[in-house]
Amino acid sequence: MFLSVDPGINNFGLCVYDNQNNFSVIETKLVKGNRKFTEEEKLIEVKYGARVVKVNSILEILKDIKSKYMIEGIVLEAPFYNALTPVAYGSLLEVITVVKYMFAYKYNLEFKLIEPLLVKKIFPNKSLAAKDVIKQFLKQKKE
């Protein structure tokens, strides 16, 4: 089984899929970073900042998934820079780095980064596919 990840500090999406069984989806999760923090998390936020709380939430979900499934590897969307949201790039790099070193490396998992444009070019119409087009395509593939 593998994890497929759309990394982000505020929305971290992951999918556990069985690569031996026609890539069937086993479980999906969305880790929401934009939420009210618990009292314990607020103490961490004061000392280390909100990013630490959000990244720690991601790591906890990944560890939970790893305890439930025999994960062999993880595939992540590679970091990309968007001039409209330049601050997001730093957060994205931090999330990917933590996933790589604190999860993939720690558990000796295969680790691959896939360029977003490469994924979008796979889909129909020879133009860049929007996320809703990709989602619809994957739903049809699953059926």
Side-chain angles (χ1 to χ4, degrees):
M1 282 188 220
F2 276 77
L3 286 175
S4 176
V5 174
D6 185 357
I9 195 83
N10 291 320
N11 292 301
F12 182 91
L14 67 87
C15 173
V16 179
Y17 65 92
D18 184 351
N19 56 316
Q20 301 297 317
N21 190 16
N22 200 23
F23 293 95
S24 42
V25 173
I26 308 299
E27 183 175 347
T28 60
K29 289 254 188 223
L30 177 62
V31 182
K32 297 289 252 178
N34 280 347
R35 59 177 172 73
K36 284 189 133 187
F37 293 159
T38 65
E39 292 304 315
E40 182 181 326
E41 288 173 330
K42 287 178 185 176
L43 295 174
I44 296 168
E45 178 186 22
V46 168
K47 190 169 184 175
Y48 299 106
R51 275 191 190 178
V52 171
V53 175
K54 293 174 181 185
V55 171
N56 191 53
S57 296
I58 291 166
L59 279 174
E60 290 303 314
I61 293 293
L62 288 170
K63 289 176 189 175
D64 180 56
I65 292 289
K66 179 77 174 91
S67 72
K68 292 192 316 192
Y69 305 106
M70 296 293 296
I71 304 297
E72 301 168 48
I74 184 167
V75 178
L76 285 95
E77 181 180 51
F80 59 92
Y81 179 80
N82 183 339
L84 299 175
T85 57
V87 175
Y89 187 69
S91 297
L92 186 59
L93 280 180
E94 189 170 342
V95 169
I96 291 170
T97 301
V98 167
V99 170
K100 182 177 184 178
Y101 292 105
M102 299 298 293
F103 185 70
Y105 176 70
K106 181 178 180 176
Y107 294 106
N108 195 28
L109 303 174
E110 288 185 48
F111 182 86
K112 300 289 182 200
L113 290 172
I114 307 293
E115 295 296 325
L117 288 178
L118 176 64
V119 174
K120 291 184 179 207
K121 287 178 181 178
I122 293 170
F123 293 89
N125 300 332
K126 295 187 180 180
S127 63
L128 298 179
K131 285 191 178 198
D132 59 333
V133 172
I134 294 170
K135 185 177 180 180
Q136 188 59 38
F137 176 82
L138 292 172
K139 279 183 180 178
Q140 290 172 350
K141 193 91 166 114
K142 188 179 177 207
E143 296 169 353

